[in-house]
Amino acid sequence: MVKKSEFYIQFTGLPDGIHNYQYKVDNTFFTEFNYSDIEDADLIVDLALEKKPNMLIANFSIKGVFTVMCDRCTDSCQVKVKGGDEIIYKFTEEDIDDEKISAVLPNEIGIDISMPIFEISSLLLPSKRTHKKGGCNEEMLNAIDNYLIVESTGNKSVGGDEDEESNDEIDPRWSALKNLK
């Protein structure tokens, strides 16, 4: 995993109050994790860590640019991201069943924030990752279009011949639905 010294915060010597940290995260950070769609990254992570006697409250703020594969043309595209999240580290020996609260044993002296940074930044990626309009690789789009057959009705289908008889005959049970409005 990631070197502990970079993303490991020793909280035992910190006085109560807010402590600010800033990290520059690039592709080397994401290559340490087993699964990642991220080809490259240039992120700034701001962390405001509030220490209280019984808990730590970590407010992550992440902004920057990811390079990922375009869903439309499969070329690399850059996606700007901005967002954040809050995680509470509670000093307890009990198991906590909440994704926003992590249990920290009372005898621990620090926390590793590499996994929260990975998870929060990965969740900032949009579900549809495409170039801006006109930015896709036209050659690849044309090659993809060559594999699609457009029917006269406007429906797209992949591959071979369609059964023409199925389009001509309509099941009488379905034709009765046309009269409903």
Side-chain angles (χ1 to χ4, degrees):
M1 198 167 261
V2 179
K3 291 183 246 174
K4 273 205 178 259
S5 62
E6 289 181 68
F7 300 100
Y8 185 79
I9 299 175
Q10 187 172 344
F11 57 79
T12 54
L14 294 175
D16 287 354
I18 297 176
H19 307 277
N20 294 308
Y21 299 89
Q22 188 175 63
Y23 300 94
K24 179 146 176 57
V25 177
D26 57 13
N27 193 43
T28 57
F29 175 82
F30 291 98
T31 56
E32 297 293 325
F33 293 92
N34 291 334
Y35 173 76
S36 180
D37 289 340
I38 299 162
E39 296 174 6
D40 197 11
D42 184 21
L43 303 176
I44 299 293
V45 178
D46 289 315
L47 170 63
L49 182 69
E50 183 177 359
K51 184 180 179 193
K52 294 185 176 187
N54 60 346
M55 70 178 71
L56 299 168
I57 301 172
N59 285 300
F60 294 90
S61 176
I62 300 173
K63 67 179 179 178
V65 178
F66 282 118
T67 302
V68 293
M69 183 178 74
C70 176
D71 292 337
R72 192 177 306 136
C73 71
T74 69
D75 275 359
S76 294
C77 71
Q78 292 190 337
V79 178
K80 291 183 180 180
V81 294
K82 183 178 180 181
D85 206 353
E86 178 181 89
I87 297 177
I88 297 173
Y89 296 92
K90 187 174 180 181
F91 303 126
T92 183
E93 292 182 8
E94 300 173 9
D95 287 336
I96 298 174
D97 191 27
D98 188 347
E99 64 185 34
K100 299 289 183 184
I101 301 175
S102 293
V104 177
L105 296 174
N107 62 347
E108 290 189 41
I109 61 171
I111 56 172
D112 183 12
I113 60 166
S114 59
M115 188 54 98
I117 290 173
F118 174 77
E119 291 172 350
I120 294 167
S121 58
S122 295
L123 289 173
L124 291 176
L125 282 168
S127 58
K128 187 174 182 181
R129 305 164 189 168
T130 58
H131 288 100
K132 291 183 180 178
K133 192 169 187 171
C136 281
N137 181 345
E138 292 297 324
E139 288 180 35
M140 182 58 81
L141 292 176
N142 290 334
I144 292 170
D145 285 342
N146 289 337
Y147 289 102
L148 297 176
I149 299 172
V150 180
E151 296 177 357
S152 62
T153 60
N155 295 333
K156 292 184 178 182
S157 65
V158 178
D161 299 327
E162 293 290 322
D163 186 15
E164 292 181 21
E165 290 181 25
S166 65
N167 291 338
D168 294 340
E169 278 186 36
I170 297 177
D171 189 341
R173 296 173 292 180
W174 296 110
S175 62
L177 293 174
K178 288 184 179 179
N179 298 330
L180 296 175
K181 288 199 179 190

